[in-house]
Amino acid sequence: MNDAIATAGVFALSDDITVTRMGYGAMQLAGPHVFGPPADRDAAVAVLRAVVDAGITHVDTSDFYGPHVTNQIIREALHPYPDDLHIVTKVGARRDAEGNWPSALSRDELRSAVHDNLTNLGLDALDVVNLRVGGFGEATPGSLAEPFTHLVEMQREGLIRHLGVSNVNAEQVAEARSIAPIVCVQNNYNVAHRVDDALVDELAADGIGFVPYFPLGGFSPLQSDRLDAVAARLQASAMSVALAWLLARSPNILLIPGTSSRDHLRENIAAAALELPADAMAELDAIG
Ligand SMILES: NC(=O)c1ccc[n+]([C@@H]2O[C@H](COP(=O)([O-])OP(=O)(O)OC[C@H]3O[C@@H](n4cnc5c(N)ncnc54)[C@H](OP(=O)(O)O)[C@@H]3O)[C@@H](O)[C@H]2O)c1
């Protein structure tokens, strides 16, 4: 395993699934706006192989990336999968002809999404499936009991090993946990967007993973004078410092930065070994 990935360590999502805290988010591998095929499919395959060669054991995806395209590229690049590789997927949305992301939370839509993931990834069962409840970037308040129960049904059928939730607020996390155990929560969170600070700590106390998406700001790269100042002092990039801050923030935080570039992948992996002195940490904490 790459030294930086080893430095960041691992996290046990469950008794049977332990992942490297430095993971990889595959959303950027589809075409522009996460719609259609990428311009350079071979480059996408090469990024995924570099992810696994570096020793990363956590890849985040969804069958609605592309749609289908990202999972098909993952299968082409990595199947048969190494025993220690865990692919975490999500259901609860679909793509329309214009590339929008409408919710798809009915029993039929969730069942077909799980089967599409199984087919396109070439798996008999999915390690972790997140129920994506809200829209892009935020939670939509309201009960998730009905769609979550449909996933629990598929877990009982053996199609899903473990469950998680995404784009949810603290009440929805509590509601899901009252129905069935979850192993992770995936929400929009980074050094400059800290709505979930309390939730991160609450989940850490219970040994549940918190997986921030948009760790680098997503479609609008992180911009902060303080982040830039700390990065300049440490002679590191702002993106590396943002990732190092997340790793230092809480031991249950798992990184899934997304990139279609092998250079950015290398830079993001190196960030896992970046140590932030206490004064830098305090300065970054104050951004949120
Ligand atoms: N649950 C949800 O609703 C949800 C929503 C969004 C995303 N996700 C998941 O979370 C993962 C991470 O989110 P994300 O990919 O949207 O956003 P992100 O990781 O915050 O940022 C990705 C963007 O940053 C660029 N980038 C990556 N590394 C960089 C570096 N070292 N220097 C400069 N730019 C860099 C990428 O471009 P290049 O390709 O050029 O590197 C891409 O434009 C996704 O891949 C997906 O798996 C989940």
Side-chain angles (χ1 to χ4, degrees):
M1 184 189 294
N2 171 292
D3 286 348
I5 293 170
T7 302
V10 297
F11 183 82
L13 283 169
S14 64
D15 289 348
D16 58 339
I17 297 185
T18 294
V19 293
T20 48
R21 290 186 68 210
M22 171 52 76
Y24 172 74
M27 188 175 89
Q28 306 295 340
L29 295 181
H33 310 293
V34 200
F35 204 53
D40 186 344
R41 192 181 176 99
D42 290 345
V45 166
V47 168
L48 283 163
R49 291 191 177 145
V51 163
V52 167
D53 287 348
I56 286 174
T57 65
H58 176 199
V59 171
D60 183 80
T61 187
S62 172
D63 207 63
F64 51 70
Y65 297 158
H68 315 302
V69 171
T70 297
N71 279 352
Q72 289 165 355
I73 295 175
I74 290 174
R75 181 179 184 163
E76 176 185 336
L78 303 177
H79 197 279
Y81 302 111
D83 287 345
D84 62 352
L85 180 67
H86 299 289
I87 299 174
V88 175
T89 191
K90 68 191 75 68
V91 295
R94 62 180 176 82
R95 306 303 291 281
D96 66 16
E98 287 76 43
N100 299 314
W101 311 67
S103 291
L105 293 163
S106 72
R107 183 172 182 274
D108 283 353
E109 286 169 317
L110 292 170
R111 289 194 79 82
S112 81
V114 165
H115 283 287
D116 283 349
N117 274 282
L118 289 168
T119 304
N120 287 316
L121 289 169
L123 290 166
D124 297 327
L126 300 167
D127 277 348
V128 181
V129 176
N130 284 311
L131 177 69
R132 178 192 191 267
V133 182
F136 242 127
E138 58 191 7
T140 308
S143 174
L144 53 63
E146 197 178 319
F148 191 68
T149 304
H150 298 318
L151 291 194
V152 173
E153 180 187 320
M154 285 182 271
Q155 185 181 32
R156 292 204 181 110
E157 291 168 20
L159 300 175
I160 299 172
R161 296 202 173 91
H162 299 283
L163 298 170
V165 283
S166 176
N167 290 353
V168 282
N169 59 31
E171 292 70 35
Q172 291 168 322
V173 170
E175 187 184 27
R177 294 181 68 188
S178 74
I179 297 169
I182 60 168
V183 299
C184 56
V185 173
Q186 185 174 124
N187 273 359
N188 178 6
Y189 182 83
N190 58 50
V191 67
H193 181 82
R194 305 260 288 282
V195 175
D196 279 341
D197 264 340
L199 182 61
V200 170
D201 296 334
E202 190 185 308
L203 295 170
D206 291 344
I208 294 174
F210 183 87
V211 186
Y213 72 78
F214 296 162
L216 303 173
F219 297 112
S220 331
L222 276 175
Q223 280 177 345
S224 154
D225 291 344
R226 272 197 192 154
L227 177 62
D228 290 344
V230 171
R233 253 193 354 255
L234 298 177
Q235 297 184 318
S237 71
M239 295 302 175
S240 302
V241 172
L243 293 177
W245 178 84
L246 283 168
L247 284 174
R249 166 66 181 80
S250 183
N252 66 328
I253 288 189
L254 308 180
L255 298 188
I256 52 163
T259 183
S260 55
S261 140
R262 285 176 74 182
D263 287 344
H264 285 165
L265 176 68
R266 257 189 298 277
E267 182 181 336
N268 296 344
I269 288 173
L274 180 63
E275 269 194 54
L276 298 177
D279 61 337
M281 204 58 202
E283 208 171 326
L284 295 167
D285 282 345
I287 295 176

